[in-house]
Amino acid sequence: MNEPAVVITRVAERQWHAVEDDRVVGRGDASRRPDGRIFLSIDAWHGAVFDRLADAMLADLPKPLYTLVDEADLDVTSHWERAGFTTRRREWEYLVPTDPRVTGLGSVLPPSDVTTVAVGEAEEGPLRELDRVIRDEVEATVGWQEMPAEVLPRLDGATLRDPSKYAVAARSDEYVGLLRVAPVTRQPRIGLIAVRSDQHRRGIARALLAHVLGSLHRGGIETASAEVNESNGAAMALFEGVGARRVSSNLELVLR
């Protein structure tokens, strides 16, 4: 008796509205990621409206379906779990200091045969070649869909969209490591650190991080943010080893 008398309507190919007394009291959206996966979002005034929207969307869309939630938002998480979604992975968000006196990276240098190329100064051709090599290596192991959404491939297969956001590690005439920085106002975001597999365990990722954080600090930026898949132990150790602290976590949920 207390549930809102709502009507659910599919108003566009990937959009649903919940209407009560000529008012929109809830919206549902489905977006297809560049890798082909469909992610859902629902904004509703009442839990019952959320459930009605979810039922309508799930009936119309092919599985598997995905959504992202703030793990601290227990209400929203429980709504999706009621609809049958389960946790696929957790991503920690870190707050990363830039001051070398805090990070301990002030004296960190790359190996003697490696040089660091600053953000925005990498040559596009070698950078795209490194991106393809790293993408193939990741795809052969954990799968590229484990990467942050911003580095997922587009429909044309490209994962490197803006070369000006990358610092790179160079060895001889080729690039062997990269770090992506999104220039978010006041708190840049480190979106990806990757090193070619045949150059692992040489301190290249740590040297890239030292270079980028040091540059941010000299530019007056006190902290950066980074998101790390909890299954990526090496990345978590890298960030926690420079004093980064976890501030939140997101869950990727899936309905198969």
Side-chain angles (χ1 to χ4, degrees):
M1 294 293 293
N2 293 325
E3 291 186 3
V6 299
V7 176
I8 308 297
T9 304
R10 189 171 186 172
V11 297
E13 181 182 0
R14 295 174 183 167
Q15 189 175 68
W16 291 254
H17 281 179
V19 177
E20 178 187 16
D21 294 333
D22 296 326
R23 294 181 305 159
V24 176
V25 295
R27 293 179 173 84
D29 292 279
S31 59
R32 187 178 292 276
R33 289 275 183 88
D35 63 354
R37 294 185 296 159
I38 298 175
F39 276 73
L40 308 185
S41 64
I42 293 177
D43 180 18
W45 291 11
H46 307 288
V49 174
F50 188 108
D51 293 344
R52 293 279 305 279
L53 278 166
D55 288 344
M57 296 171 75
L58 300 187
D60 288 347
L61 295 169
K63 299 178 180 61
L65 297 167
Y66 301 83
T67 192
L68 290 174
V69 298
D70 181 343
E71 189 170 10
D73 194 333
L74 301 181
D75 286 342
V76 171
T77 302
S78 67
H79 290 328
W80 287 113
E81 290 175 342
R82 249 195 337 266
F85 284 74
T86 59
T87 299
R88 178 178 172 272
R89 69 170 187 161
R90 174 183 286 106
E91 201 166 70
W92 290 105
E93 177 153 350
Y94 284 89
L95 196 61
V96 189
T98 64
D99 189 339
R101 294 171 297 182
V102 177
T103 64
L105 296 175
S107 61
V108 171
L109 296 173
S112 59
D113 61 340
V114 174
T115 58
T116 303
V117 181
V119 174
E121 296 183 8
E123 295 182 32
E124 184 170 344
L127 178 56
R128 289 194 180 279
E129 177 60 29
L130 174 62
D131 174 72
R132 284 191 293 270
V133 170
I134 288 175
R135 184 177 59 193
D136 289 345
E137 291 177 348
V138 172
E139 193 60 58
T141 54
V142 298
W144 196 258
Q145 68 179 19
E146 298 302 314
M147 297 296 102
E150 66 191 38
V151 296
L152 292 174
R154 301 194 302 261
L155 294 178
D156 62 3
T159 54
L160 194 152
R161 306 183 187 188
D162 186 351
S164 70
K165 295 180 179 179
Y166 289 80
V168 301
R171 181 173 180 264
S172 299
D173 59 350
E174 61 183 356
Y175 291 164
V176 296
L178 56 82
L179 188 154
R180 184 184 190 278
V181 184
V184 181
T185 304
R186 289 196 297 264
Q187 192 175 92
R189 189 151 68 89
I190 298 170
L192 176 68
I193 303 178
V195 176
R196 215 172 63 188
S197 62
D198 63 349
Q199 297 296 313
H200 284 182
R201 301 186 182 280
R202 301 190 64 212
I204 294 174
R206 185 173 171 84
L208 276 170
L209 189 60
H211 171 81
V212 169
L213 292 179
S215 296
L216 293 174
H217 181 68
R218 289 189 294 274
I221 303 296
E222 296 183 357
T223 57
S225 65
E227 293 178 353
V228 181
N229 189 334
E230 99 173 322
S231 67
N232 190 340
M236 290 174 62
L238 176 63
F239 282 107
E240 292 176 3
V242 301
R245 60 185 178 87
R246 299 176 187 177
V247 292
S248 63
S249 58
N250 296 312
L251 298 178
E252 181 181 292
L253 308 180
V254 62
L255 176 67
R256 300 189 187 279

